[in-house]
Amino acid sequence: MTSEIQLQASSVELAKTLDSLSTSLSTYLGYLGLPTDSVLVELDERRKVINNMPYIMPALTEGQRNSAMYISKFSAACVVGLFDAALNYLWDETIRNLRLKVVQFDLDYFYDTAITDANQRSRFRDESDLEKLDDWVLVRGCRETGIISDIGYRHLDYIRDMRNHASAAHPNHNELTGLQLASWLETCIKEVLGKEPEGAAIEVKRLLRSVREEILSGTDVPPIAEAIVRLPEDLAHSLLRTAFGMYTDPRLDANIRNNIRFLAYEVWEVCSEDAKYDIGLRHGSFSANGEVSRANLARDFLTIVNGLAYLPGNTIAIEIISALDALLAAHNGWNNFYNEPPLARLLQSFVPASGNIPGNVSGKYVKILTMCHIGNCYGVSSGAEPIYSMLINRWQDSQISQFINLTRDSEIASRLQFPSCQTRCQRLASRLVDQATHPNVKLALEFIGNFPTEKLDRIGNSSRFQTILKTVKR
């Protein structure tokens, strides 16, 4: 309590000196002949951050505060009045902390989950490789492995978007407020810096440790199977990808591969059809790239889980997956409005006029097209948007049903925080009403189109909508 009172007293004293500090800085800039207008944030806005920080920082332990170098830089930037730089420092501290959590949790599990392209995955081996991973891949991977929660992911996705467009990460003229920065600091502390993985994520960590360190037998399977059944769908999918990735590594220890044989079927059974098709596509990728040993091990894995029916029928599915991965990376990266059009055209080249694509890639195809079409909080790539619309016009009832079910997807729900994404999603739903043929599909689309726009990110919680979804087959 005493330290909190001292912290609050220090912030009050600092606030009193801001006027003198700002005057001195402006005078110095003028002496150098540099601009002084709109360089530093107004004093009132700075005071809002400074006065709120004493109530936010106690959420971190003393040890966590001692290592939070970028939070010190964030605080200094707020005091000086450089809010765009402060946001950048806050994001840097968040990313640093997430990387540390990944290493402490399970690095291989994270890589197998976050990096879906088999060729790219081979380039990520140790802790140093985390720096090569795009921020959006890191954040999404932390959600899929349970290191952060769905709510935490949605908050961080919003902050990441603001950091990309309103911080000192690149030139901009966006104005940030003191309360915004204080709120984002609290969110990053609450969801990342001061929080450790819990619940189902810890179960996965224990299971992976047992697979790597113990020698399992048939009698060990039933209690483990009970734990696997309780896993959320996303974590079960992540565990399947990791088990498959480990099993197909020719360098894997024989005892570990044998442990996976005991548990593979149990994991496979609780996963969705999309997750199973994803494993089949990975076998096809190994074969297409001449990785004979890995392809043979992949077929062995599919045999163990009775999953040979999920093998891809032709190479076009692999080409579409590759094009989708490239498009999503561009969409979530820098200069996405400029980089998306050529990759959208590449994807278009693989989709016939009928719209028929292999069923094992349809779910991913619909999701990524939806994300690109509704855009981010700053809009949609104007050069790529006509291509997205053309491809969506080719959707049939099965793909429209997949779009409807995406309203419960955490990544899509995160996008639907933004008014522009909400509006575009509802317009798309209304447009698809005439395109759909099944009455239940039309009913679901009309419900989405008429749902309160500002609450669209929470439509999955509507009991009425959940009832309608039961009548819509994916």
Side-chain angles (χ1 to χ4, degrees):
M1 179 62 73
T2 301
S3 61
E4 288 186 34
I5 293 174
Q6 291 173 340
L7 190 60
Q8 291 168 14
S10 297
S11 70
V12 171
E13 185 65 28
L14 179 60
K16 293 178 180 178
T17 66
L18 284 181
D19 193 20
S20 175
L21 175 63
S22 295
T23 300
S24 299
L25 281 174
S26 296
T27 301
Y28 181 67
L29 292 175
Y31 172 75
L32 295 175
L34 294 172
T36 57
D37 292 338
S38 302
V39 174
L40 304 178
V41 175
E42 294 295 328
L43 294 177
D44 286 345
E45 293 299 328
R46 283 184 257 175
R47 291 190 183 98
K48 291 175 184 177
V49 186
I50 294 168
N51 291 337
N52 275 287
M53 285 190 67
Y55 301 99
I56 298 173
M57 296 308 297
L60 293 177
T61 65
E62 182 179 353
Q64 290 167 339
R65 287 199 296 269
N66 288 339
S67 63
M69 177 65 70
Y70 285 110
I71 297 300
S72 292
K73 294 185 177 185
F74 165 87
S75 305
C78 288
V79 170
V80 174
L82 297 173
F83 279 12
D84 51 356
L87 177 55
N88 211 38
Y89 287 134
L90 176 59
W91 187 251
D92 288 344
E93 182 64 36
T94 302
I95 292 300
R96 184 197 70 83
N97 191 274
L98 284 178
R99 288 172 179 165
L100 181 62
K101 280 182 168 59
V102 166
V103 173
Q104 294 174 338
F105 191 74
D106 193 298
L107 189 59
D108 286 333
Y109 171 51
F110 175 82
Y111 282 149
D112 285 330
T113 299
I115 305 171
T116 56
D117 182 87
N119 291 326
Q120 187 183 12
R121 170 65 180 90
S122 65
R123 298 195 292 269
F124 288 80
R125 290 291 181 185
D126 54 33
E127 179 179 347
S128 64
D129 293 326
L130 279 170
E131 296 184 2
K132 300 185 296 186
L133 205 62
D134 288 342
D135 289 355
W136 72 272
V137 179
L138 176 68
V139 174
R140 187 182 66 175
C142 286
R143 176 190 63 80
E144 292 181 349
T145 52
I147 293 174
I148 59 176
S149 66
D150 281 348
I151 295 298
Y153 168 77
R154 291 176 63 177
H155 285 308
L156 290 185
D157 196 37
Y158 179 81
I159 296 172
R160 180 188 68 85
D161 211 43
M162 293 301 297
R163 180 260 183 183
N164 285 349
H165 295 90
S167 78
H170 62 213
N172 72 88
H173 297 287
N174 294 289
E175 292 186 3
L176 301 174
T177 71
L179 289 180
Q180 280 179 320
L181 280 183
S183 174
W184 292 337
L185 172 64
E186 184 177 39
T187 294
C188 289
I189 288 176
K190 180 180 178 182
E191 298 296 341
V192 179
L193 307 183
K195 186 176 182 179
E196 297 299 326
E198 55 189 22
I202 298 301
E203 289 292 329
V204 172
K205 180 178 181 178
R206 290 172 180 161
L207 174 58
L208 290 173
R209 180 177 297 168
S210 296
V211 168
R212 292 192 175 103
E213 299 177 2
E214 307 292 337
I215 298 179
L216 302 179
S217 65
T219 57
D220 297 314
V221 173
I224 295 177
E226 290 181 12
I228 291 173
V229 168
R230 294 193 298 268
L231 291 177
E233 184 176 295
D234 285 349
L235 288 187
H237 188 180
S238 299
L239 182 58
L240 176 62
R241 282 201 299 258
T242 299
F244 178 80
M246 293 168 63
Y247 192 90
T248 55
D249 185 350
R251 302 166 301 175
L252 188 69
D253 183 273
N255 285 332
I256 299 177
R257 184 171 285 116
N258 192 54
N259 286 344
I260 295 173
R261 287 192 183 100
F262 280 117
L263 302 174
Y265 182 78
E266 307 299 334
V267 180
W268 179 268
E269 281 297 286
V270 300
C271 285
S272 67
E273 291 294 291
D274 287 345
K276 295 173 181 178
Y277 277 123
D278 180 50
I279 297 301
L281 285 167
R282 288 179 178 232
H283 170 277
S285 179
F286 295 151
S287 298
N289 290 302
E291 298 180 76
V292 178
S293 295
R294 299 201 74 175
N296 288 339
L297 287 168
R299 191 175 185 88
D300 185 32
F301 183 94
L302 287 167
T303 300
I304 292 169
V305 298
N306 295 328
L308 291 176
Y310 293 87
L311 287 171
N314 51 53
T315 58
I316 191 64
I318 298 171
E319 296 288 352
I320 292 176
I321 285 291
S322 178
L324 287 170
D325 285 339
L327 177 59
L328 184 61
H331 179 68
N332 284 303
W334 297 101
N335 298 321
N336 65 298
F337 291 168
Y338 175 80
N339 292 326
E340 285 180 44
L343 295 170
R345 287 192 290 272
L346 174 63
L347 174 62
Q348 181 187 12
S349 68
F350 295 118
V351 181
S354 65
N356 291 325
I357 62 171
N360 50 1
V361 301
S362 184
K364 186 168 188 173
Y365 172 71
V366 170
K367 179 176 178 177
I368 293 178
L369 261 186
T370 299
M371 292 179 70
C372 292
H373 178 76
I374 67 175
N376 54 37
C377 68
Y378 289 91
V380 180
S381 170
S382 59
E385 200 279 333
I387 300 173
Y388 301 145
S389 292
M390 181 189 305
L391 294 176
I392 289 172
N393 284 340
R394 299 175 184 177
W395 283 358
Q396 300 169 13
D397 268 12
S398 60
Q399 292 163 327
I400 295 174
S401 296
Q402 289 170 329
F403 161 76
I404 293 168
N405 279 276
L406 280 175
T407 51
R408 298 185 298 176
D409 181 273
S410 57
E411 285 189 272
I412 298 297
S414 179
R415 290 293 175 93
L416 295 179
Q417 300 175 84
F418 307 121
S420 62
C421 298
Q422 294 168 346
T423 300
R424 290 186 63 84
C425 183
Q426 288 192 308
R427 286 177 181 170
L428 176 56
S430 298
R431 167 180 143 198
L432 290 172
V433 171
D434 292 335
Q435 193 170 324
T437 59
H438 196 283
N440 290 341
V441 173
K442 289 179 177 289
L443 178 63
L445 291 168
E446 289 171 350
F447 190 91
I448 295 172
N450 295 323
F451 199 77
T453 304
E454 70 280 2
K455 299 179 181 179
L456 195 60
D457 60 327
R458 300 186 294 278
I459 190 174
N461 297 330
S462 165
S463 58
R464 171 62 178 153
F465 188 58
Q466 290 173 6
T467 301
I468 294 174
L469 283 181
K470 293 176 182 179
T471 69
V472 177
K473 295 182 179 180
R474 296 185 63 178

